[in-house]
């Protein structure tokens, strides 16, 4: 199985997110881990973002690579994330990955759910 890796202009991973993912992968001791970003139904606005670490990739996953870090997105989720930026923030609300999504018509107060 060969998975093609490319960086589409439509989906970005910030340097802050890259740095955090690198630290988390290093702490796990599994360099093959990838950050999986996905969209599921639910949340207070209709859809919600999810983040996990995954060792596997499907043939139809979109792969975004930056500075050795790979972010993977399944095709169903990608349609909602096209043009988005995945960032990592630390602040008064704590530390978390966030999605800045131009496709979201509305978002909830915490930014973890949205509607289109």
């Amino acid at each position: 199985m060969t998975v093609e890796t490319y960086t589409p202009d439509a989906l970005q991973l910030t340097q802050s997110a890259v740095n955090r993912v690198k630290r988390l992968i290093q702490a796990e001791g599994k360099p093959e881990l990838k950050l999986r970003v996905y969209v599921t139904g639910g949340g207070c606005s209709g859809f919600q973002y999810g983040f996990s670490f995954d060792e596997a990739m499907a043939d139809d996953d979109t792969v975004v690579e930056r500075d050795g870090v790979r972010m993977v997105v399944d095709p169903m989720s990608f349609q909602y994330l096209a043009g988005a930026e995945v960032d990592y923030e630390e602040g008064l609300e704590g530390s978390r990955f966030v999605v800045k999504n131009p496709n979201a018509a509305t978002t909830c107060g915490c930014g973890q759910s949205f509607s289109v």
Side-chain angles (χ1 to χ4, degrees), residues 8-114:
D9 292 333
L11 186 58
Q12 299 297 319
L13 186 62
T14 68
Q15 190 62 51
S16 178
V18 167
N19 293 343
R20 182 61 179 160
V21 169
K22 280 183 177 181
R23 286 193 304 270
L24 291 169
I25 289 173
Q26 186 177 33
E28 286 293 318
K30 295 182 177 182
E32 70 281 356
L33 290 176
K34 298 141 202 67
L35 177 65
R36 181 167 292 280
V37 181
Y38 56 92
V39 173
T40 60
C44 51
S45 294
F47 294 101
Q48 60 188 3
Y49 302 112
F51 302 92
S52 65
F53 281 101
D54 203 340
E55 293 180 22
M57 286 188 297
D59 289 337
D60 58 354
D61 279 342
T62 295
V63 181
V64 176
E65 188 166 349
R66 180 171 179 186
D67 295 339
V69 168
R70 288 196 225 161
M71 174 175 64
V72 294
V73 181
D74 65 89
M76 193 283 295
S77 297
F78 186 79
Q79 66 183 330
Y80 298 107
L81 294 169
E85 176 183 82
V86 177
D87 194 11
Y88 180 77
E89 296 179 349
E90 294 181 3
L92 294 175
E93 296 175 4
S95 58
R96 62 187 176 155
F97 288 101
V98 295
V99 178
K100 297 172 183 168
N101 190 346
N103 303 308
T106 60
T107 60
C108 68
C110 71
Q112 292 300 307
S113 69
F114 68 101

